[in-house]
Structure formats: structure tokens, C-alpha cells
């Protein structure tokens, strides 16, 4: 029973890490998906990409669900904090994406009133509002492709990876503890089996010496 319990704990730790990794990947993938859709809208001006962006951000919400899932599985505050920082940075980056998409709307002379509230509420700076359509398009692209944007994306990835590294260390520690307990339990079981075999052989030897042998010698006298 104890051996089975040790094995079950090892499977639980491994299973939890798989879930943590899946959820952390979901947050990263959702952030990357938002980036992709924002960039595609800025590049092409096609409304479908912007709709995909807000579908993910406001309906699918993979980032929020992933963070809630990890909070529900682990009580490791350091790991959760790393993922929360990644989430906060991803949300903060959306302001830059909103602004870039608002510039793209202006550059393509679209009616901003037909777009989501998050886009309508963005106010272009006086300088950007005075740019030509071509210049606004260039400015929009720069906001989602420049070094600043790239650094922010790398920061999100670093915090997601930091979360996974912390959880991996936690799982390794638990697995080592469970493995040591399992090895100890198996050693005890092997020892007990060996003792049982020796006890059985000793009993057979005593039976032979004290019962079988005397009976065989007594056969002569009985005859």
C-alpha cells in the first residue's frame, strides 16, 4: 500500500508539472497570438485581424484562464508572481497595440466609430494626428515592430520561463523525495521477502531434521 502511495505521489507531481507547462504555454501563445493579429491588422488594414484580436482578448481569454488554472494547482507564490508579471506586461503591451491599431484605422481612413470601444477611446497625439496617411501607417508599424516592442515581448517570455523553471525545481524536489521514499520502501520489502524465504527454509530444515528423519529411521523398527 505504501509503495503504491509513493508511486501515486510521483505521478501526481509529474502530472501537475505537465498542467503547469501547458497553462504557461497557453499564456505565452495567447500573447504571441495578440501580437500576430495586431501586426497583421497594422500591415494589411483587414478588419478580420482586429476582430480576431478582440475575440482572444475579451472572449477566449486564454491568458486569464491559464493564470487562474495555475493559481488553482500550486501554492508556490514565487511561480505565480512570475506568471502574474508576465500577464501584467502582456496587458500593458496591449495599450501600445491599441494605439498602433488606432493609427492604422486613421491611416486607412476607416470610420473609427465602427470599431471596438478600446480602439475608439484611443486619442492620437497631436503630432500623430497631423501625420499623413502614409506616415501614420509607418508609425503604426514601428510601434509593433521596433526594439521597444521586441524587448517587452522578450520580458514576457522571460517571466513565463522563470515560472516554469521554479515549478520544475519544485517538481524535481518532490520527485526526488518520493523516489527516495519509494527506494527505501522497496529495500524494506526486499529485506522482508528475503527474511521470509530464509524463515521458510529454516522451517523446512527443522521439519526434516525433527520430523521426517526420525520417521524414516523409525520405519525399520516398525517393520
Amino acid at each position: 500500500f505504501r509503495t503504491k502511495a509513493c508511486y501515486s505521489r510521483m505521478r501526481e507531481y509529474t502530472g501537475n508539472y505537465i498542467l503547469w507547462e501547458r497553462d504557461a504555454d497557453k499564456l505565452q501563445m495567447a500573447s504571441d497570438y495578440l501580437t500576430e493579429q495586431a501586426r497583421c491588422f497594422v500591415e494589411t488594414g483587414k478588419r478580420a485581424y482586429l476582430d480576431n484580436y478582440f475575440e482572444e482578448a475579451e472572449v477566449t481569454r486564454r491568458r486569464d484562464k491559464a493564470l487562474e488554472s495555475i493559481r488553482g494547482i500550486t501554492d508556490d507564490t514565487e511561480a505565480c508572481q512570475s506568471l502574474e508579471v508576465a500577464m501584467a506586461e502582456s496587458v500593458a503591451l496591449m495599450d501600445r497595440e491599441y494605439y498602433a491599431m488606432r493609427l492604422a484605422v486613421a491611416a486607412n481612413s476607416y470610420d473609427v466609430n465602427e470599431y471596438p470601444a478600446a480602439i475608439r477611446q484611443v486619442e492620437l497625439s497631436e503630432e500623430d494626428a497631423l501625420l499623413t496617411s502614409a506616415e501614420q501607417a509607418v508609425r503604426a508599424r514601428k510601434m509593433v515592430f521596433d526594439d521597444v516592442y521586441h524587448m517587452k515581448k522578450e520580458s514576457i517570455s522571460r517571466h513565463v520561463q522563470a515560472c516554469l523553471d521554479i515549478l520544475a525545481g519544485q517538481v524535481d524536489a518532490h520527485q526526488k523525495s518520493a523516489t527516495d521514499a519509494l527506494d527505501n520502501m522497496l529495500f524494506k520489502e526486499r529485506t522482508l521477502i528475503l527474511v521470509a524465504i530464509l524463515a521458510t527454509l529454516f522451517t523446512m530444515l527443522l521439519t526434516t531434521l525433527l520430523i521426517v528423519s526420525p520417521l524414516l529411521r523409525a520405519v525399520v523398527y516398525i517393520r
Side-chain angles (χ1 to χ4, degrees):
F1 177 78
R2 291 181 180 177
T3 303
K4 183 179 179 181
C6 289
Y7 178 70
S8 296
R9 283 200 298 273
M10 288 182 63
R11 289 190 61 185
E12 179 184 358
Y13 298 142
T14 302
N16 282 343
Y17 181 73
I18 292 172
L19 292 176
W20 293 329
E21 187 174 33
R22 180 200 65 189
D23 290 328
D25 283 344
K26 281 184 178 179
L27 192 152
Q28 181 69 62
M29 287 189 294
S31 177
D32 292 342
Y33 180 78
L34 292 174
T35 292
E36 178 187 3
Q37 298 308 305
R39 285 174 169 174
C40 286
F41 177 71
V42 166
E43 285 286 349
T44 67
K46 292 183 179 179
R47 176 67 184 265
Y49 294 118
L50 186 139
D51 290 340
N52 291 340
Y53 182 98
F54 283 97
E55 177 75 16
E56 172 63 45
E58 298 178 355
V59 180
T60 309
R61 299 174 59 249
R62 282 183 292 174
R63 297 175 306 172
D64 305 84
K65 292 175 181 177
L67 187 56
E68 290 169 6
S69 177
I70 285 188
R71 282 174 179 161
I73 297 174
T74 180
D75 56 358
D76 191 307
T77 55
E78 188 178 357
C80 285
Q81 284 174 354
S82 293
L83 206 61
E84 285 169 356
V85 170
M87 177 66 176
E89 290 183 344
S90 181
V91 171
L93 192 60
M94 292 174 73
D95 291 334
R96 189 178 182 88
E97 292 163 348
Y98 288 162
Y99 195 91
M101 289 189 286
R102 177 65 181 86
L103 274 170
V105 169
N108 288 281
S109 301
Y110 296 149
D111 184 357
V112 71
N113 293 317
E114 296 179 357
Y115 285 80
I119 299 298
R120 294 197 307 270
Q121 292 168 2
V122 174
E123 293 186 9
L124 297 180
S125 68
E126 185 177 348
E127 179 184 357
D128 290 338
L130 294 175
L131 295 175
T132 65
S133 295
E135 290 171 336
Q136 286 176 333
V138 171
R139 169 79 170 136
R141 292 190 191 96
K142 183 178 179 182
M143 290 195 71
V144 291
F145 283 100
D146 64 6
D147 291 341
V148 174
Y149 189 88
H150 183 66
M151 287 171 58
K152 291 181 181 294
K153 289 293 296 182
E154 285 188 335
S155 180
I156 293 170
S157 298
R158 281 197 304 272
H159 283 101
V160 170
Q161 188 57 50
C163 172
L164 287 174
D165 290 343
I166 293 168
L167 294 174
Q170 185 186 76
V171 170
D172 286 343
H174 284 309
Q175 285 184 332
K176 185 178 185 305
S177 175
T179 300
D180 290 343
L182 183 60
D183 288 343
N184 185 49
M185 193 64 60
L186 290 173
F187 175 76
K188 290 180 179 179
E189 288 181 357
R190 286 194 292 266
T191 301
L192 290 174
I193 291 171
L194 181 60
V195 169
I197 292 173
L198 292 176
T200 301
L201 293 175
F202 182 69
T203 301
M204 292 174 63
L205 179 61
L206 287 179
T207 301
T208 301
L209 293 175
L210 300 178
I211 298 176
V212 177
S213 293
L215 285 175
L216 291 175
R217 288 195 299 269
V219 168
V220 177
Y221 298 104
I222 292 172
R223 285 176 180 171

